[in-house]
Amino acid sequence: MNYLAYLLVIGAAAYWLLVTIVGVLSVRKMRDPEALLEQVHEPERLEDAQGISAWARAQGFTLDSQFDFDSIIGCGGIKLAVEGWYSPARKCFLMHYHAVDKSYYEFVSSLEGGYSLSSSGSADSLSLPFPPGVFAQAFEGMPLDELLREHEKALAFFRQRFGVEPAAPDQPLRDLLLEAVKAQMHYVQSQPLWYLQIAWWHLVRRRMQKNKSMIEQIERLDKDQ
């Protein structure tokens, strides 16, 4: 029994170290993302097994851009496919990310005052902390219709509480993505001993924050103050 416990501890420590190494390398790679984000030259290679394209068009979103994002460390050169849909009526992007057999999506809205809100269908979006003014919520595996409702519910909360409305993008999507990645990587690296916190953020903090709405997160902060 003691031997088994010893192996479990060693295995857990090794996994923690692996997550740390991959996370640190990823952050360092993405701090200069211009060379990593490229226009897709073969759009037909992008698969849409989830039917996101049809859903997006039915909801008034139009295809804005498709990119290859070379951000994944240790995956044999596999690039993350990034697809952006935009709804002028909602002033909202639907982002679709996928690599091999893994795929997730999120809604992203810029807000007045330089703020932003993202609502993701994957807790992986919470693997690293966001800079102040970037609000994020994630509901693991939530269908698009429900996720959009949660996103709009949070927007209504921001409107009522802070008096801010969604804002139309003032830059092309590629520039917005590059700006967001740079800001997040800069913020991550500004944290004390950030490289030692990588595994905690990914393995523990991410799980603690998933399936908690932005409204719930803010109201909890109010109670703690």
Side-chain angles (χ1 to χ4, degrees):
M1 189 65 179
N2 290 336
Y3 180 71
L4 178 59
Y6 177 77
L7 288 178
L8 289 174
V9 170
I10 294 296
Y15 184 60
W16 189 278
L17 179 60
L18 176 63
V19 171
T20 297
I21 293 172
V22 172
V24 169
L25 291 175
S26 296
V27 169
R28 288 178 173 170
K29 184 176 183 179
M30 289 190 292
R31 61 189 173 188
D32 296 309
E34 283 86 355
L36 307 179
L37 191 64
E38 303 174 349
Q39 200 77 28
V40 171
H41 298 294
E42 300 176 357
E44 62 275 7
R45 78 167 184 80
L46 296 175
E47 297 181 356
D48 187 17
Q50 296 172 303
I52 290 177
S53 300
W55 184 94
R57 292 189 181 94
Q59 295 295 322
F61 288 83
T62 56
L63 183 62
D64 182 280
S65 304
Q66 294 173 317
F67 304 102
D68 273 330
F69 190 32
D70 184 17
S71 62
I72 303 176
I73 300 292
C75 291
I78 295 174
K79 297 180 181 180
L80 182 71
V82 181
E83 195 170 64
W85 297 77
Y86 183 68
S87 169
R90 291 186 170 93
K91 297 179 182 177
C92 175
F93 282 102
L94 165 59
M95 304 301 300
H96 182 201
Y97 311 94
H98 51 122
V100 194
D101 58 347
K102 191 171 185 179
S103 176
Y104 74 94
Y105 42 77
E106 67 180 349
F107 294 99
V108 182
S109 295
S110 296
L111 303 173
E112 296 170 339
Y115 303 106
S116 68
L117 168 70
S118 68
S119 302
S120 175
S122 171
D124 286 348
S125 63
L126 304 175
S127 293
L128 295 173
F130 293 94
V134 179
F135 298 93
Q137 56 184 1
F139 304 93
E140 191 71 37
M142 181 174 283
L144 279 163
D145 290 305
E146 294 180 33
L147 187 62
L148 180 57
R149 281 195 291 271
E150 288 292 338
H151 188 74
E152 293 180 335
K153 191 187 301 183
L155 289 175
F157 175 80
F158 279 106
R159 184 182 299 113
Q160 180 181 16
R161 170 128 184 203
F162 304 112
V164 294
E165 297 282 350
D170 57 359
Q171 301 177 68
L173 180 56
R174 183 178 187 275
D175 294 340
L176 292 172
L177 290 172
L178 291 174
E179 187 177 277
V181 172
K182 285 181 180 179
Q184 186 179 18
M185 296 308 109
H186 177 77
Y187 178 72
V188 166
Q189 292 183 290
S190 72
Q191 302 305 295
L193 299 176
W194 66 273
Y195 42 86
L196 298 181
Q197 297 191 65
I198 287 282
W200 168 265
W201 289 332
H202 180 73
L203 297 175
V204 181
R205 177 183 171 275
R206 174 174 62 103
R207 288 179 170 82
M208 293 171 60
Q209 289 191 336
K210 76 174 182 178
N211 299 327
K212 289 183 172 60
S213 71
M214 203 66 251
I215 299 173
E216 182 181 354
Q217 293 179 48
I218 293 176
E219 289 179 342
R220 181 171 295 178
L221 285 175
D222 289 342
K223 292 180 181 178
D224 293 340
Q225 291 179 352

